[in-house]
Amino acid sequence: MGFTGKKKRKTQRRMTAAQKRKLMLLTGLVFVCALFVVGIFYSSVYRYVHKMRPGQIEENVYVQGVDMSGLTKAQAKKKLKQNWEAVQNTHLILHDGEKEASVTVKQMGIRQGDVDEAIEKAAGYAKRGGLFHRYRKIRAAKKEKVEYDVSYKIDEEQIEDLLEEKTKDFYEEAEDAGITRVGGVFQITEEKSGETIDIDAVMKELEDKLPSLLLGEETRINVSAKKDEPKVTKTDLESIEDRIGEFATETQEEDRSLLSRTAELLNGQVILTEKEISVQKILAPLLEMYEEENQEEKAETDIDCPEAFSQAASTLYMAVLDAELEVTKREPLDHEAAYTKPAMDAALDTQRDLQIKNTLDSPVYIEVFIDQNEQFVCRIYGTRTREKTTEISFESEILEEHDPETEYVADEEIDAGKMKKESDGSRMIRAKLWKIVEEEGKEVSRDEINETTYKGENQKILVGTKSDDEETVEKLEKAVESQDEKEIEETIKEINGEE
Amino acid sequence: MRKGILTDTAYQRFIYKKLNQKSSQFPYHVWEKCVRFPAEDNTELVSSEIMLTGVREDICVYAAARALNAVAAEGGCPFGVRVSVLVPETADEPYLERMVKSLDIVAMEQGFEVLNVCVNVQPGCRENIVHVTAYGKSCGYGKGKEEGKAADYRGKDIVIVNPIALEGSLRILEERREELEERFIPVFLDRLLEEKHRLFALDIVKLAESFQPAYIKPVTDGGVFGALWELSETSGTGYEADMKKFPIRQETVEICEHFRLNPYQMASGGCILLVMDNGEGFVRLCQEKGAEAAVAGKMKAGRNKIIVNGEESRCTDRPAEDELFRMYKGGVHDEHEN
């Protein structure tokens, strides 16, 4: 019984060759099948991953809310540009109760950041790494869209200004107290408290809602008001009572119209304590108008800025010194002026300014007008602090002066033998301005205010050299070259046949 | 001669004294514009004449306001106006229509009748010359010249009701609106136009009746300074008035500042100058009725006509040419303040 059992087990373990072949065939078949299945799977994944061409952005990839699926970089850029143009016209509605104002994204001056960078990122999505890695990313994008945002450049100051301007009718702003002098009396209007837009609150809300606004969705913001206090009160201005400074200059008929217009702009200016004014800024509308009107002529003929501007500034300069305010910026004229003494001037044009600071303890009011004697008058009103027995005066001391020299210039346009005065020239002067303080008629101090030097300009005389006779021209040119008055005059006499 | 109304000196020298056949009521001063005629029922007919020139068609309204105020101040209850106008050749029919319409509207608002309108087209005339005569029946209250002279003014309050220079600034605004709009916003300027009804001060005069003012006078040519001078000359009494207390509209201040005109010497139709005991009480009453009013000073013994401006005080100058005439020269700075 035991023998039989052993034999049977041997038979079972041993596989026939046929069986082996079968097994091998089967195994091969299974392997081929597996290979086939894997191949099909790989092929499917490959096709899935490569559904988009290498240059195309994968499906469900967005840049700034815009679907970029299947687009090339160039197409994506174009689409984003079109979208941005639409977004720029999106309205932000500001409202408080029934009052509404709207601004567009364009008006707010919001600029797009680096679009190319976002497109690059979108185009690179699921384009790098192994096949299965890319497959997984594409699958993920299909489940949940992939978004890339473009950064934005925002000028908060510009937006704040715009929002304030758009909502200015929403609230009644505070009004400063005003002061006007008519008929010799100061009329003061009282200040008013008011309300203004709470810009910080609006900006905070805008920050939260900006993403949706930049997706092109009309956005509403509820604006609220905050208390607006006046900067100048009636009490501040009530101290303006006394005339503390004055200066006047003679006017010429040709300057009077422009001086009158400068007076209109300067008259009524109030300088609060520790505040500074720029005369150039106050006169800017006139200076600009002058510049525009003379732009073409100026290019051709190089006309100087009208003297009237400097006359107004010079008169104000002296009145300001008389009132003992601080002159923070002053530039002298190029030449001595007919309407004032040397060193008592201040130049004013588009390059040169006169700036004044109120260093007194109370505000001052500037009155400017042309009086019945055709004088340009500047008066400063404020609170008199110096004693009535104290007098201030100013003295212009000339330290050095030279009369203009005469310069002869040959001119081919003028007939030979004739002379023409081109310019009178001006004196070279070095002068000092002194401030003299007298108490009860006795001088107690003498301070230097400025030292001014006027370079002076030669008197220019044109000597005609227009002649067909070369010898005459030569003689005249030689005489002009000598710059000797006597020689030139003798040459001219000779040419004119005089003894 | 001075532009506008004659000086009192010239009037007395060349008119009052040269006229032999004058009535017993003939005004002694140039600024006395009313005459009284006996009427039925022991009443009197009070009449006042005003002449004005101006380019705008509503110049009749300004003239009518002055004439009616004068009648009311003289104790008359105004009932009507007669209007005569010389118009330039350039005036057309629609212009006349507008002129009459503007008069008609205020007549309805103020409750007076237009008794007639006589229009002549005058060659060579460049602006309208309007002559308005207002009529009223004496209605109980009436100061009468004799009463005014006899009254003791000393120590009484000087009251000014309605803004000074309203008439002048309104006329400037209407004639030079375009220029003013370059500097001021229309809303600001319109605020002044809304005050045009204050040119008629009939209600103020009526209101003053119970306070028995010693003097009541509409402020017209020469402005409030002129009126104060007239008060002093009429009463033979001096005064001290504070310029800062005179009621004035901010719009008037700005317009005068723009043209460099003095509002204290500018046509002030609608503004009433009164002298009375209880000035503060009357001022309160006026303010309750919505009118601007202030006690501007006191009558003082002597003949000094003192004007106070802050810490400075000075004597009032003789009445000057009305500032409106200066405006047509472009405006000049007034030097009187010095």
Side-chain angles (χ1 to χ4, degrees):
Chain A
M1 283 284 287
F3 180 78
T4 312
K6 273 185 184 175
K7 197 174 177 182
K8 197 179 179 177
R9 275 199 295 272
K10 269 188 179 176
T11 313
Q12 276 175 340
R13 281 178 191 167
R14 198 176 293 150
M15 199 180 275
T16 61
Q19 280 178 317
K20 278 182 183 173
R21 277 199 302 275
K22 256 186 192 176
L23 184 65
M24 281 177 69
L25 191 67
L26 194 64
T27 309
L29 197 64
V30 168
F31 180 74
V32 168
C33 282
L35 205 62
F36 183 71
V37 168
V38 168
I40 286 175
F41 175 70
Y42 190 85
S43 162
S44 302
V45 171
Y46 186 88
R47 274 193 288 126
Y48 187 83
V49 169
H50 289 87
K51 189 179 170 189
M52 293 291 174
R53 287 195 300 277
Q56 284 180 306
I57 296 171
E58 296 301 333
E59 267 182 48
N60 230 13
V61 173
Y62 286 72
V63 173
Q64 196 53 43
V66 181
D67 188 4
M68 298 280 114
S69 309
L71 302 181
T72 61
K73 285 184 198 174
Q75 287 168 334
K77 196 170 179 177
K78 192 178 173 187
K79 193 170 180 182
L80 277 176
K81 193 181 170 191
Q82 285 168 346
N83 180 67
W84 178 240
E85 278 165 10
V87 167
Q88 280 194 307
N89 292 319
T90 308
H91 286 264
L92 170 71
I93 312 288
L94 304 154
H95 66 99
D96 184 0
E98 288 180 357
K99 289 172 183 166
E100 274 194 5
S102 86
V103 285
T104 60
V105 170
K106 192 176 185 178
Q107 284 173 318
M108 288 196 280
I110 299 175
R111 285 169 291 142
Q112 269 188 315
D114 196 347
V115 177
D116 293 338
E117 192 189 342
I119 292 174
E120 203 62 49
K121 280 182 186 168
Y125 183 80
K127 297 291 184 195
R128 282 176 284 274
L131 189 67
F132 288 103
H133 172 74
R134 291 175 64 192
Y135 172 76
R136 275 197 301 274
K137 289 193 93 172
I138 291 168
R139 289 283 297 172
K142 284 208 168 170
K143 280 181 187 165
E144 192 177 352
K145 66 182 179 183
V146 176
E147 287 203 71
Y148 292 98
D149 285 330
V150 178
S151 60
Y152 289 91
K153 289 173 185 168
I154 293 170
D155 182 345
E156 283 194 13
E157 212 170 299
Q158 186 183 340
I159 295 177
E160 282 177 15
D161 288 347
L162 180 75
L163 296 182
E164 276 177 3
E165 191 206 316
K166 290 282 178 184
T167 56
K168 68 181 175 191
D169 296 334
F170 280 32
Y171 312 107
E172 218 166 280
E173 287 184 358
E175 269 181 43
D176 288 342
I179 185 166
T180 315
R181 187 174 168 81
V182 287
V185 180
F186 281 112
Q187 300 287 348
I188 301 175
T189 52
E190 284 201 38
E191 72 277 10
K192 281 184 198 162
S193 292
E195 288 182 322
T196 185
I197 180 172
D198 185 351
I199 202 76
D200 292 338
V202 173
M203 287 304 283
K204 206 174 168 193
E205 203 174 338
L206 179 63
E207 202 180 307
D208 296 340
K209 293 189 174 174
L210 197 62
S212 62
L213 181 71
L214 295 178
L215 288 175
E217 294 166 16
E218 188 175 281
T219 306
R220 292 177 72 82
I221 289 184
N222 187 18
V223 295
S224 53
K226 64 175 183 183
K227 207 169 180 191
D228 189 22
E229 292 295 349
K231 294 176 188 76
V232 185
T233 65
K234 189 179 179 185
T235 318
D236 294 332
L237 302 177
E238 273 172 345
S239 60
I240 301 176
E241 279 202 323
D242 312 311
R243 192 185 303 166
I244 56 171
E246 181 174 17
F247 200 74
T249 52
E250 300 286 340
T251 62
Q252 297 301 314
E253 176 71 39
E254 62 271 24
D255 296 331
R256 225 162 273 152
S257 163
L258 188 53
L259 276 171
S260 169
R261 293 166 77 187
T262 61
E264 277 173 29
L265 292 175
L266 290 168
N267 187 51
Q269 292 288 333
V270 173
I271 319 178
L272 298 175
T273 302
E274 291 304 313
K275 295 285 176 191
E276 199 171 9
I277 59 159
S278 154
V279 178
Q280 194 184 54
K281 271 190 192 166
I282 296 167
L283 298 183
L286 272 183
L287 283 163
E288 281 164 17
M289 199 191 301
Y290 161 79
E291 263 206 326
E292 279 170 24
E293 280 174 9
N294 294 278
Q295 213 166 18
E296 285 176 20
E297 295 165 44
K298 208 173 177 183
E300 288 167 18
T301 58
D302 193 25
I303 300 167
D304 289 332
C305 201
E307 193 70 16
F309 289 116
S310 291
Q311 180 169 354
S314 301
T315 316
L316 183 61
Y317 171 62
M318 290 308 296
V320 160
L321 290 178
D322 193 26
E324 300 190 289
L325 303 180
E326 189 183 333
V327 176
T328 49
K329 190 174 183 187
R330 171 254 175 189
E331 288 183 57
L333 295 172
D334 297 328
H335 313 292
E336 178 190 9
Y339 51 80
T340 191
K341 291 177 182 170
M344 289 187 170
D345 59 59
L348 193 103
D349 51 35
T350 47
Q351 271 82 45
R352 293 178 291 184
D353 192 9
L354 173 67
Q355 290 175 6
I356 302 154
K357 187 176 180 185
N358 181 4
T359 46
L360 305 177
D361 294 332
S362 53
V364 295
Y365 177 94
I366 300 173
E367 186 182 35
V368 184
F369 59 95
I370 295 177
D371 71 7
Q372 286 164 316
N373 301 320
E374 311 290 10
Q375 283 197 316
F376 187 82
V377 183
C378 290
R379 287 177 181 164
I380 313 287
Y381 292 88
T383 305
R384 187 182 291 118
T385 51
R386 61 185 183 235
E387 295 296 321
K388 283 191 174 173
T389 49
T390 305
E391 293 236 339
I392 290 179
S393 61
F394 294 89
E395 192 179 291
S396 163
E397 184 192 1
I398 294 178
L399 305 170
E400 191 184 347
E401 62 180 319
H402 300 290
D403 285 334
E405 289 182 2
T406 306
E407 184 187 353
Y408 295 92
V409 179
D411 193 316
E412 293 174 351
E413 302 293 317
I414 299 171
D415 288 339
K418 286 185 179 169
M419 288 204 289
K420 187 184 168 190
K421 193 189 275 185
E422 173 81 351
S423 67
D424 287 331
S426 60
R427 293 192 299 169
M428 177 271 160
I429 294 176
R430 191 161 66 82
K432 259 187 188 174
L433 180 64
W434 295 97
K435 176 183 170 184
I436 301 152
V437 181
E438 287 179 355
E439 275 174 18
E440 292 175 347
K442 286 183 183 172
E443 185 177 315
V444 290
S445 70
R446 179 178 279 260
D447 299 314
E448 182 186 324
I449 299 293
N450 73 53
E451 184 177 317
T452 303
T453 303
Y454 307 98
K455 285 179 186 168
E457 212 171 56
N458 289 345
Q459 179 188 49
K460 200 183 261 186
I461 294 178
L462 303 177
V463 180
T465 56
K466 187 180 174 185
S467 171
D468 295 334
D469 182 17
E470 277 183 25
E471 196 184 339
T472 303
V473 174
E474 204 174 308
K475 271 184 190 173
L476 281 166
E477 282 179 347
K478 197 180 167 190
V480 169
E481 207 173 310
S482 74
Q483 289 293 309
D484 181 12
E485 186 184 354
K486 208 174 170 185
E487 189 179 333
I488 293 168
E489 278 177 4
E490 278 174 6
T491 310
I492 286 173
K493 274 183 187 172
E494 187 189 326
I495 288 163
N496 291 340
E498 296 169 18
E499 283 302 313
Chain B
M1 284 199 289
R2 187 181 73 181
K3 291 186 196 73
I5 193 166
L6 269 187
T7 61
D8 200 36
T9 316
Y11 168 79
Q12 286 175 13
R13 191 178 297 165
F14 305 110
I15 296 175
Y16 188 85
K17 288 179 182 167
K18 298 287 176 194
L19 199 63
N20 296 317
Q21 297 301 312
K22 56 181 176 278
S23 133
S24 59
Q25 288 200 42
F26 195 90
Y28 180 69
H29 291 295
V30 69
W31 52 79
E32 290 167 6
K33 298 186 178 83
C34 285
V35 284
R36 289 163 167 263
F37 305 100
E40 293 171 355
D41 311 327
N42 288 330
T43 57
E44 285 179 308
L45 183 68
V46 185
S47 164
S48 176
E49 293 182 340
I50 293 292
M51 262 197 295
L52 274 186
T53 58
V55 289
R56 285 184 53 88
E57 51 270 53
D58 60 353
I59 189 68
C60 297
V61 174
Y62 289 93
R66 281 194 186 192
L68 290 161
N69 289 343
V71 165
E74 193 64 22
C77 292
F79 60 81
V81 291
R82 296 183 65 197
V83 181
S84 306
V85 197
L86 294 180
V87 294
E89 284 180 292
T90 49
D92 52 14
E93 284 160 3
Y95 182 88
L96 289 180
E97 196 182 328
R98 289 198 299 275
M99 180 182 275
V100 170
K101 189 79 189 160
S102 65
L103 189 64
D104 198 37
I105 289 169
V106 293
M108 198 160 62
E109 285 171 357
Q110 300 294 329
F112 65 89
E113 287 180 333
V114 180
L115 303 174
N116 78 330
V117 176
C118 174
V119 179
N120 277 16
V121 178
Q122 183 66 27
C125 176
R126 284 188 297 173
E127 53 185 21
N128 304 310
I129 302 169
V130 181
H131 177 250
V132 173
T133 309
Y135 297 96
K137 274 187 181 172
S138 61
C139 46
Y141 166 72
K143 71 180 175 69
K145 279 192 290 185
E146 295 308 316
E147 287 172 45
K149 275 282 185 192
D152 183 10
Y153 289 83
R154 267 173 279 168
K156 288 188 183 342
D157 293 332
I158 299 173
V159 178
I160 298 176
V161 189
N162 281 344
I164 63 161
L166 177 69
E167 178 190 344
S169 49
L170 271 169
R171 286 185 60 187
I172 293 169
L173 169 59
E174 288 176 334
E175 289 179 23
R176 306 281 278 269
R177 178 152 188 139
E178 210 171 299
E179 181 182 343
L180 287 166
E181 279 190 354
E182 286 175 17
R183 180 164 168 186
F184 306 106
I185 54 168
V187 180
F188 177 78
L189 298 173
D190 288 343
R191 287 212 302 248
L192 188 66
L193 288 178
E194 285 164 17
E195 295 297 306
K196 197 168 176 178
H197 66 280
R198 297 205 186 279
L199 291 173
F200 294 86
L202 310 181
D203 51 344
I204 300 296
V205 176
K206 184 85 183 147
L207 212 58
E209 197 174 328
S210 58
F211 284 78
Q212 295 180 316
Y215 182 87
I216 178 162
K217 177 89 168 56
V219 182
T220 54
D221 286 319
V224 69
F225 281 173
L228 283 168
W229 177 277
E230 291 164 12
L231 162 65
S232 179
E233 290 297 302
T234 308
S235 65
T237 314
Y239 60 79
E240 188 175 297
D242 186 348
M243 287 172 86
K244 291 200 171 176
K245 290 186 177 163
F246 298 167
I248 184 167
R249 300 276 314 175
Q250 188 56 30
E251 300 82 11
T252 300
V253 168
E254 300 298 341
I255 289 171
C256 288
E257 196 268 340
H258 180 75
F259 291 106
R260 298 210 65 77
L261 299 170
N262 186 344
Y264 303 94
Q265 292 178 342
M266 183 184 276
S268 299
C271 176
I272 304 289
L273 178 70
L274 303 103
V275 176
M276 58 175 63
D277 280 321
N278 183 12
E280 291 294 347
F282 180 58
V283 164
R284 272 197 301 278
L285 182 64
C286 290
Q287 287 169 344
E288 279 168 21
K289 302 281 178 190
E292 288 181 57
V295 174
K298 274 195 183 297
M299 299 302 287
K300 299 266 178 179
R303 299 299 297 267
N304 287 340
K305 304 172 184 72
I306 306 295
I307 291 283
V308 179
N309 177 16
E311 288 180 359
E312 293 172 3
S313 60
R314 61 182 176 83
C315 289
T316 316
D317 296 323
R318 283 186 169 277
E321 180 179 291
D322 195 283
E323 288 287 289
L324 270 182
F325 292 108
R326 294 186 178 208
M327 198 209 75
Y328 299 118
K329 291 193 287 190
V332 289
H333 186 76
D334 182 72
E335 286 295 312
H336 77 275
E337 74 209 59
N338 305 312

